[in-house]
Amino acid sequence: MTSFVRSILLATTTLASAATGIVPARADIMEPTATAAAATVAAEAPQESPSSVGTGASDRSGEIFVTARRRQESSQDVPVAISVVGGEHIDATGSFNVGRLQQLTPTLQFYSSNPRNTAVNIRGLGVPFGLTNDGIEQGVGIYVDDVYNSRVASATFDFLDVAQVEVLRGPQGTLYGKNTTAGAINITTNQPTFDFEGKAEVSLGNYNFKQAKAAISGPLSETVAARLAISTTDRRGTIYNVTTSQWIQSQDNLGLRGQLLWTPTETLDITLAGDFSAQDANCCGSVYVRTGATQRALNRQFEALAAAQGYAPVSRDPFDRRTDLDTPLQAENKIGGASLRVKWEVGPGTLTSITAWRFWDWDPSNDRDFTGLPIVSKSQNPSQQDQYTQELRYSYSSDTIDFVVGAFGFYQRIDTQGTEEHGAASSRWSIAPSNPLSNDPATLNGLVAYNTQYLKNTSAALYGQLSWHVTPELTLQPGVRLNYDKKEGFYQRRVFDAAGNEVLATRTPTALQAAQLAIFTPQEISPSFSDWNFSYDFTASYKVAPDVLVYATYAKSFKSGGINQNGVPLAQDNVTPLYDVATVKPESVYHYEAGLKTQFWDRKATFNLSIFRTDIKNYQANVNNGQFGVLRGYLANAGAVRSQGVEVDFSIRPSERFNAYANGAYTDATYRKFVDAPCPPELSGGTTAQVGQVPAAPGTPGLSPANCDISGERLPGISEWSFSFGAEANRPVSLLGREGEVYFGYDGSVRTNFSSNPSPSAYTWIDGYSLHNFRAGFRTEGGFDVYAWLRNAFDEDYFEQLFVGPGNTGLIAGLPGDPRTWGFTIKSNF
């Protein structure tokens, strides 16, 4: 069905794009802008101003308007560090999901080994780096048309008919339903219109890349309008699996969105929306990168274990882009939902109600040993998630006072059924050679663990923010939030041998039981957590001049406590779960920020500056114990974390023929106190040192520390320096009898090195890299556009992530970033 829809869409949008491209341009159709609201206001503006900082060079509209504070206003008047990326620039740069958006916004970090294990952070904060644990909240809220998306898997889908994306940096909890301690991504889609309009777009490129998008909008009656949008993306993978003779890391995305707008009166708008997205890629895998010495016995490290079974990686050069994973890969991903938004002009303000239901179905299969050996023969944790949200808010604006007050309710249910099984190579790989059981494949072959878990997550909040314009220049803005959270979880792991006999935990296991329990340990826990929290913020802003705004913010926020939804470590008897670590304390967040927003040169140039510091107590960290199946990962509170830095955004538009931007960030994000952190691989794998014993040197077999002090080390995933920059120039021409302009655009990004492990390791630092993208084309005022594009133009070799292999063998696997890609796009608005 997906293939049929894709073929039909590709054919029809190609015909539509080509056909509309030869129709004479209509003077009554306005050129695309970064946002529909901006189009109206820009037409009335006395003079053109550059795009809002961060929008990128191809957005050719005037002043950019945002809804960051739940009301429409110029981004330069908002005392918040904010980047705005218009829909036009999203299309032009191929930034069709949040992951690609990070190349345009330096302080946004996106890491994804698969849709479930996805992290979206801002300024290094948000969610822990590593395997996803459903028992905690996001620190970065993702909103699509005011609807909160609780799972970051939504960030892996293609943007669908997007008008603009706002990236708000810093705590935003007094304005949004869910508490967003690190920031928010506010995505606005194009809305139904009472004038008929449409657009079609087709892209083709190397790696068999095919992408098609289409949208149509118009009236159904005098009071009802509708909009329908569809998109599809398909691309061959970039890594070749020699075991299955398949290309992996492919793209196979389908998205649908429909909206109905009913305006029974001039003061009442009702919008019913529904969407569905599906991914069915041949994904997700990795390649061999290197091995690093650990503190395991030499005959239990990767090179010796591989040699003992006659195994060698298919390639030791990761940028050969070849792998030999032997477990079938699968990443079926479906997400969607429906929402009802009611906006009613009540008295002097606006009452808004948003009722929404969303679902996420995840059906994966992974190769958790990262090799071509049948060590872990099956690893899959299908998950089904439903969420229900209700938000009610009232907003009011006047010359003296603006305010927003709201109430938010949230309920989420997650069910997961996991299966992990070991194969014929596991015994020799996982059991010490001195143990006779290591020579018998039947010891671990067929050993299977079935994991059953569910989570019930309930949240409710009252929030509000007031802006008091003391004078036309001075505004004081306090905000408050009262929040209640409750989480109830269940986790059960049952273990069976190949004959179907249940393996039970025991304090006096036999040799066979001990070998099997070292791989999978049965466990059952029912953790729960509930808490009330109060948070607040205060911002003072002052207009030094009509186009110069300075502001300062202090925020005391929190991120809800959580539960260890994937199990907990065991006590020394290897039987009893450590119930005291089943729950995780809330994060306490203290945020300080000062900023400057200014426009000059007759508003042809924009310069914004922000300086920030965020201190977090009881930081929620994701840690692993390094074993295959004893515990995939669990949550713990680090003592303290600090993120501080400087962000600079600059854009310039001296004329309609040229515009450019440059954004940069310095981010110093470190563990201030984490004295009992998990150790990196070079300090792991040996016998645990007891009190008075001295651990061996890093990478030397012998004693290993029970834990490590990583205070002062950098947080994972954070580059100290990151930049994005670009420009576009155009020139009027007449081509094929049509008046228009030829243009050339460039977008680049640079970042310095970063750690790809929660505890920094010499083996998992990723070198800094730069990416350079070009485009050139011809467009008309009527909305016809055809252009060629080149991304990662210089074919830079870089890693998106590195992974520490299980078992402390020293194996490091990785996910290479996309190589050079090229293609062309034809699109038209009508």
Side-chain angles (χ1 to χ4, degrees), residues 654-722:
S655 73
E656 294 182 1
R657 302 299 164 214
F658 179 79
N659 58 85
Y661 69 96
N663 309 323
Y666 169 75
T667 307
D668 173 26
T670 57
Y671 298 104
R672 302 315 300 159
K673 184 180 180 182
F674 199 0
V675 297
D676 55 352
C679 292
E682 59 265 39
L683 288 171
S684 302
T687 303
T688 301
Q690 303 301 312
V691 177
Q693 293 181 313
V694 178
T700 303
L703 298 176
S704 294
N707 45 55
C708 288
D709 183 353
I710 60 173
S711 304
E713 297 284 353
R714 199 190 312 173
L715 290 177
I718 307 304
S719 296
E720 285 191 327
W721 296 94
S722 55

Side-chain angles (χ1 to χ4, degrees), residues 67 112 122 195 214-215 307 309 397 402-403 422 448 469 494 497 516 568 571 644 770 786 812:
T67 57
S112 180
I122 293 175
D195 293 322
Q309 301 203 46
S397 294
D402 305 327
F403 70 80
H422 274 231
V448 61
H469 309 297
R494 299 182 67 185
D497 62 19
Q516 293 173 335
V568 297
Q644 60 186 7
S770 62
V786 57
I812 305 296

Side-chain angles (χ1 to χ4, degrees), residues 494-522:
R494 299 182 67 185
V495 182
F496 297 86
D497 62 19
N501 302 308
E502 187 163 10
V503 181
L504 302 175
T506 175
R507 290 179 173 83
T508 57
T510 64
L512 177 61
Q513 290 174 326
Q516 293 173 335
L517 292 172
I519 301 300
F520 294 137
T521 303

Side-chain angles (χ1 to χ4, degrees), residues 76-100:
Q76 288 300 107
D77 293 334
V78 180
V80 173
I82 180 172
S83 299
V84 187
V85 184
E88 186 179 352
H89 198 55
I90 287 172
D91 291 340
T93 58
S95 304
F96 52 80
N97 60 29
V98 174
R100 300 215 172 188

Side-chain angles (χ1 to χ4, degrees), residues 293-328:
T294 73
Q295 293 181 324
R296 260 190 167 200
L298 289 176
N299 62 358
R300 300 202 65 197
Q301 297 194 35
F302 179 85
E303 299 296 351
L305 292 170
Q309 301 203 46
Y311 171 75
V314 63
S315 174
R316 291 183 180 267
D317 179 356
F319 297 107
D320 279 350
R321 299 180 183 273
R322 291 192 298 160
T323 191
D324 57 357
L325 304 178
D326 62 320
T327 300

